[in-house]
Amino acid sequence: MASLESLIYLMYTWTGIAQVTFEEFAATRLLPSVVLNGAFGILLILPLRKFFLMLEDRDRQQENV
């Protein structure tokens, strides 16, 4: 996601639409985006990982029966 945000910023800069410096962009858009995406990823990935491990265990138990 950070690369997409940076690419959009670069395109806006090259076309003259963006009038902010990279430091301002990084502080106001890039950093919050990376932090929120990371937090959302952690909140989503950890429970899903536990769920899939539980399913795998259940499948193994059913194969042994």
Side-chain angles (χ1 to χ4, degrees), residues 2-20:
S3 59
L4 180 60
E5 288 278 343
S6 298
L7 181 62
I8 292 171
Y9 169 75
L10 287 174
M11 290 184 348
Y12 281 174
T13 301
W14 290 336
T15 58
I17 296 172
Q19 301 296 325
V20 297

Side-chain angles (χ1 to χ4, degrees), residues 6-7 11 23 31 34-35 37-38 42 49 59:
S6 298
L7 181 62
M11 290 184 348
E23 290 81 15
L31 184 60
V34 168
V35 169
N37 284 329
I42 289 171
R49 182 176 181 268
D59 285 345

Side-chain angles (χ1 to χ4, degrees), residues 2 26 43 46:
L43 289 174
L46 291 178

